[in-house]
Amino acid sequence: MSARIIRGWRDLAPDLKGAAVAVGAFDGVHRGHQAVIADAARAADDLGAPLGVVSFEPHPRRFFQPDAAPFGLMTPDQMAAALGDLGVQRLYLLPFDAEMAGMSDREFAQRVLADGLGIHHAAVGFDFTFGKGRTGSPQALGAYGAEMGFTVSTTQRIDDPDGLKLSSSAVREALKAGDMARAAAILGRPFAIAGEVVHGDKRGRTLGTPTANVPLGGYMRPAFGVYATRSRLPDGRVIDGVASLGVRPMWRTLDPMLEVWLFDFDGDLYGQTLETQLIAWLRPEATFDGLEALKAQIAADAEAARAVLAISPASR
């Protein structure tokens, strides 16, 4: 079950306060984030408190760099689902606006955490910073907590036995390189793009491979090309497929798009939300000498995707 999303910190009902929380951006909810959440979960158990996560909407980086290229790794709904799998009951999505950006570290601790959310405990990562100018540290938060009535734990850096850097930036680097296995190893699950299926130009139908088209929105752009995929339908079914992600060089679309061919599926998904895991990058985008050559390549891509997926265990 997904964590309940609570947007805001003002005037909360008493039954929405009093949680033990992990605090941070948590974009991706990767294995490093999961360690912080595990510390919050231990505190929640000790205190008999609900388990929550405090994050921000939009991501602070988006507020300070509004013209930056898309960099998101998940939607709020995906975050809530990933957190629910970890036992988190509440996701406090705090609006990161001019007021939030202007708060000192003390103001954030007092107004938001202590008064607004009424937390009993805050778990943060070793490199956590907060407040205007990022002046706050885990040590400062501990001091504020002792004064304001909540406890604080600091999660130390997690070293991966295979030498992976467990960070959101490392996930983005892997996705840009088309290294989906490395991205999944850091995240603890395959990277997935969720979005509403929109009408396209229907070329897939003329090729015998009807696709579900999903705009990339605020997601970072992984390596353009063809992927082996698994897609979760609104009814919960998970269907293997192959997808093209990019601008389609033969037609040069303006905005990158994810176009998924769902194997052995015949149904209308327009207007519904499709979540597609990118299991493996198969090849870069390319142009072809006519539709017959393109059809032949699509058939080869589908065969390659089926082979990869046959040996890739399914996950959530």
Side-chain angles (χ1 to χ4, degrees), residues 212-223:
N213 303 315
V214 177
L216 297 184
Y219 286 100
M220 70 148 293
R221 280 33 177 169

Side-chain angles (χ1 to χ4, degrees), residues 90-178:
R90 304 172 182 174
L91 169 57
Y92 298 97
L93 275 181
L94 309 186
F96 200 91
D97 51 18
E99 180 185 19
M100 182 72 71
M103 286 186 192
S104 69
D105 51 9
R106 170 178 280 278
E107 285 179 310
F108 177 78
Q110 181 70 68
R111 295 177 59 193
V112 177
L113 297 182
D115 297 339
L117 303 181
I119 67 168
H120 288 318
H121 180 87
V124 297
F126 68 97
D127 56 353
F128 177 69
T129 59
F130 64 104
K132 184 178 180 180
R134 303 175 71 177
T135 56
S137 65
Q139 294 75 23
L141 187 61
Y144 294 142
E147 174 187 337
M148 299 171 187
F150 58 87
T151 55
V152 174
S153 61
T154 303
T155 305
Q156 298 307 309
R157 178 173 177 168
I158 304 298
D159 291 321
D160 180 78
D162 297 321
L164 292 171
K165 181 182 178 183
L166 302 181
S167 71
S168 297
S169 61
V171 175
R172 295 184 185 101
E173 290 169 4
L175 295 176
K176 287 179 182 177

Side-chain angles (χ1 to χ4, degrees), residues 18-22 39-45 47 49-53 92 119-123:
V21 300
D39 282 348
R42 282 186 282 272
D45 286 343
L47 295 167
L51 176 59
V53 161
Y92 298 97
I119 67 168
H120 288 318
H121 180 87

Side-chain angles (χ1 to χ4, degrees), residues 3 27 54 69 84 91 132 216 231 254:
D27 190 21
V54 175
L91 169 57
K132 184 178 180 180
L216 297 184
S231 296
L254 291 177

Side-chain angles (χ1 to χ4, degrees), residues 66-82:
D67 298 325
F71 59 85
L73 295 175
M74 57 180 15
T75 65
D77 285 342
Q78 284 179 297
M79 181 183 287

